[in-house]
Amino acid sequence: DGTPQAIANTVWAFAKLGVESPNLFTCIDVHSEKLLQNGNAQAWCNTCYAIAVMDAGKIHSKLLVDMWSQALKANVSSLRTEDLWQLAQVEAFTKVDGIELDEPSSKLRQRMGSIKTKDHNTASHSQKQISGMLTKLGFSHENEVPPLKKWSMGDMLAIDMACPKQKIAIEFDGPFHYLKSVGTGDVTRVENGATKAKRRFLERVGWKVINLNYQDWIEATQTESKGRLWLKEILSNAGIK
């Protein structure tokens, strides 16, 4: 019985946390008309994003298609960066799953393609160190690689370090990739919804994905030789020579 925005915020929170709830979108289906008629662009984008991130697009395709179509009717100029970021990821995730969505207008497509991701997605000092060690180990790679050859979404979903020839993607996951403990605020090792969704997307388009946890990196880099040995072991365990 909540407001459209409250409903949309709830599903967004589930997606952000990566908490699976099989009945969540079934309940949202019941309120879909309220969301469509009385919601706003933020509510529609939140709902689309939650469905895509939680990999529920095929099961709840009608809800996704309806919310997407409604979001496309919003005034493009009024859409927030967060809205554009969500819509861009929804389109990427659903295309991989073969879900057909209405084509965005040329103006919306332009705005979606011009998004610059947040500062924490730029190469960190640790990421640059890892890249240097990978080079010394003989792992040929590039940094900030688009997930697909034909890619019009800027640095959206860019792979931290990748070998396109072998289709190997290495992601260095800092604190913002994980959930925090309630009360203490300590960073856990539980991945959030966005991190899970990106890995799933990369795997579905053919990448072999290796996620490096920043806590493991800190423990392993008391010396450069120890850090290099840690990376070498990870590559070996993944079958990479």
Side-chain angles (χ1 to χ4, degrees):
D1 294 328
T3 65
Q5 192 61 56
I7 294 170
N9 287 347
T10 299
V11 296
W12 174 83
F14 271 81
K16 185 175 178 63
L17 295 173
V19 176
E20 295 183 10
S21 177
N23 297 322
L24 176 63
F25 293 110
T26 300
C27 294
I28 299 304
D29 274 326
V30 176
H31 300 282
S32 61
E33 284 305 312
K34 180 190 289 187
L35 273 173
L36 290 168
Q37 294 177 12
N38 303 320
N40 56 23
Q42 183 181 349
W44 302 323
C45 292
N46 277 356
T47 305
C48 286
Y49 177 73
I51 295 171
V53 165
M54 295 178 74
D55 201 22
K58 288 186 176 180
I59 298 174
H60 298 280
S61 58
K62 185 179 185 306
L63 179 63
L64 172 61
V65 169
D66 288 347
M67 291 296 163
W68 172 268
S69 297
Q70 198 69 6
L72 296 193
K73 294 176 184 177
N75 184 330
V76 176
S77 300
S78 69
L79 293 175
R80 307 168 305 149
T81 298
E82 183 77 8
D83 299 328
L84 297 168
W85 179 80
Q86 289 179 339
L87 291 174
Q89 293 207 39
V90 169
E91 186 176 42
F93 294 158
T94 53
K95 274 189 176 180
V96 172
D97 291 336
I99 300 171
E100 294 187 9
L101 299 175
D102 291 340
E103 182 69 20
S105 67
S106 57
K107 185 177 181 180
L108 177 54
R109 171 73 65 200
Q110 184 178 19
R111 287 204 66 198
M112 288 166 61
S114 65
I115 300 169
K116 293 297 181 183
T117 53
K118 299 174 183 177
D119 291 342
H120 62 226
N121 280 340
T122 57
S124 65
H125 176 67
S126 295
Q127 183 179 321
K128 290 176 182 177
Q129 283 186 305
I130 291 171
S131 178
M133 288 186 183
L134 288 172
T135 298
K136 290 179 181 178
L137 288 171
F139 179 71
S140 177
H141 66 282
E142 301 169 24
N143 294 306
E144 304 303 322
V145 177
L148 296 170
K149 287 184 178 180
K150 293 183 179 180
W151 188 251
S152 60
M153 296 300 176
D155 60 355
M156 177 76 63
L157 298 172
I159 301 166
D160 292 339
M161 295 156 280
C163 176
K165 186 176 181 179
Q166 299 183 66
K167 294 287 283 187
I168 297 170
I170 298 180
E171 291 279 276
F172 176 68
D173 295 339
F176 57 87
H177 285 276
Y178 302 95
L179 302 184
K180 293 182 178 181
S181 297
V182 177
T184 64
D186 294 336
V187 179
T188 71
R189 286 178 174 266
V190 181
E191 294 176 333
N192 59 30
T195 301
K196 293 177 183 177
K198 183 179 180 182
R199 180 174 59 250
R200 184 174 63 241
F201 167 71
L202 292 176
E203 289 174 344
R204 287 180 180 175
V205 295
W207 292 93
K208 181 183 182 66
V209 184
I210 299 173
N211 291 86
L212 305 178
N213 181 290
Y214 81 100
Q215 297 176 67
D216 293 335
W217 166 251
I218 292 173
E219 293 175 6
T221 52
Q222 296 175 10
T223 64
E224 182 176 343
S225 59
K226 188 176 179 180
R228 201 180 305 174
L229 187 64
W230 174 73
L231 281 175
K232 185 176 182 179
E233 184 178 354
I234 288 174
L235 294 177
S236 177
N237 290 341
I240 301 168
K241 297 181 180 180

